[in-house]
Structures are given as C-alpha cells and as structure tokens.
Amino acid sequence: SDHASSTATSSFYPGTYNLIGAAAFLGGVVRMTISLTVILIETTRNISYGLPIMLTLMVAKWVGDLFNRGLYDIHIELKHWPLLEWEAHPSWEKLSAADIMQSKMEWLSPTPTVGRLVDILKRTQHSAFPVCVYTSCSQEERENDGCNGSLHNRSHLKLLGLVLRSQIVTLLKLEQFRDVTEP
C-alpha cells in the first residue's frame, strides 16, 4: 500500500502543472502563442513540454477570443495608437487607390523650373511629390519642361522617384539649382 502511494506521488510534478497553468493564463491574456511557447520551452530547457504548452496556449487564445480582445490590443485601442489591422474593414475591400487619392495629381518632371517648384509649393500642402516622366511627350517637350505635371493623363506616366517638400524648400533656400541656358 505504501509502495503504491509513493509511486503515484513520485510521478506527480507540481511544477509541470504550474507551468501549464501559467502558460494558459499568459496565453489567454496576451494571446501570444508561438513566441510564448518558445520562451517557455527555452526557460524550462525541456523540449518535451513543447506540445502540451502549444496546445494549452492555443486553447487559451481561442477561449479568450470568445470573450474579448487581447491585452495588447485593448491598450492600443485605449491609447488611440494607429494600428493597421490584420484584416481590412469589409467596406474597404473594394476600394482602390484612385478612390481615396486626390483627383488632380501634382507631379514633377526630373528637371522642373524654379518657377514651377515655387508655384507648386504655394498652391499645395502636399508633403511629397512624385517625380515622373510623361512617356507620350516628345523629346523637345521633355527638354523644354513641357511635360511638367500640368497634363492630367496619368496612364502614360512613368514613376522615377519621390521628392519631399522639405527637400525642395532646402534646395531653393540654398539656391542649389542650375541655369538651363548654361552649356
């Protein structure tokens, strides 16, 4: 009788149950599954706990998701921090970039005039401007800055890069431009 009770007692490790209970609590609160599994396995230095911990964390996450969002998600919402959700809102799924962007796009040629830069800075509040080439322009129009962003047909634009408003302002202040009449 004593031998049977000592054998049953020796196979019972309270630490294992404590570990699984702690994993369930953490998994239900923070909803981290894989990373928490790795952390707990590395802490115990025993890979045999991997499957029980993973199953515990998955069940804890599923049960927690039935009742509310995870702790980190709740705090992000409380702090009003911007966060791109994993899934798009159903009303956004059919939107394209053209639906939300400005209809008259302001863009710059690779060699705009100072007058064009000053004009675009005065007329707009944009913080950046695409640098494009209008592929349907003739070579003469390109050389004379005739394709300077006033054309509205965007289907023939080729994007070369982006220039920030602050960069344009800095270049104008430092007079870092060249006279096109110079050879």
Side-chain angles (χ1 to χ4, degrees):
S1 160
D2 281 339
H3 178 44
S5 65
S6 68
T7 309
T9 309
S10 64
S11 64
F12 174 73
Y13 299 107
T16 303
Y17 293 98
N18 292 340
L19 175 68
I20 299 300
F25 173 75
L26 287 171
V29 171
V30 296
R31 314 285 162 77
M32 294 174 19
T33 54
I34 296 173
S35 57
L36 195 52
T37 301
V38 171
I39 291 167
L40 292 172
I41 289 172
E42 287 180 357
T43 303
T44 62
R45 295 184 184 174
N46 191 344
I47 193 70
S48 64
Y49 291 134
L51 185 61
I53 290 172
M54 179 67 81
L55 291 174
T56 300
L57 289 172
M58 290 304 300
V59 170
K61 182 191 180 320
W62 292 333
V63 171
D65 286 344
L66 290 174
F67 294 103
N68 61 11
R69 298 176 70 181
L71 181 67
Y72 295 140
D73 294 325
I74 291 169
H75 278 274
I76 286 170
E77 202 172 288
L78 288 173
K79 298 267 187 188
H80 303 290
W81 287 336
L83 176 73
L84 193 56
E85 296 290 338
W86 289 105
E87 294 180 18
H89 191 272
S91 64
W92 298 348
E93 289 182 5
K94 295 183 181 172
L95 288 177
S96 67
D99 295 329
I100 59 174
M101 65 184 275
Q102 189 173 4
S103 60
K104 184 178 181 252
M105 182 178 71
E106 295 287 348
W107 56 278
L108 298 170
S109 71
T111 56
T113 63
V114 172
R116 167 88 175 125
L117 293 174
V118 171
D119 177 58
I120 203 169
L121 291 175
K122 284 182 179 179
R123 284 187 300 106
T124 68
Q125 295 297 315
H126 303 313
S127 59
F129 302 93
V131 178
C132 302
V133 174
Y134 193 74
T135 58
S136 296
C137 287
S138 68
Q139 185 64 30
E140 182 181 330
E141 287 175 313
R142 286 186 192 136
E143 289 171 1
N144 296 326
D145 201 30
C147 296
N148 62 3
S150 59
L151 300 171
H152 301 293
N153 185 357
R154 293 181 235 169
S155 62
H156 293 78
L157 287 179
K158 179 181 177 187
L159 179 66
L160 301 177
L162 189 75
V163 63
L164 300 177
R165 179 184 206 90
S166 60
Q167 293 170 324
I168 296 171
V169 170
T170 301
L171 290 172
L172 290 174
K173 282 182 180 177
L174 297 175
E175 297 183 9
Q176 295 295 312
F177 43 85
R178 64 181 176 90
D179 187 359
V180 290
T181 59
E182 293 178 3

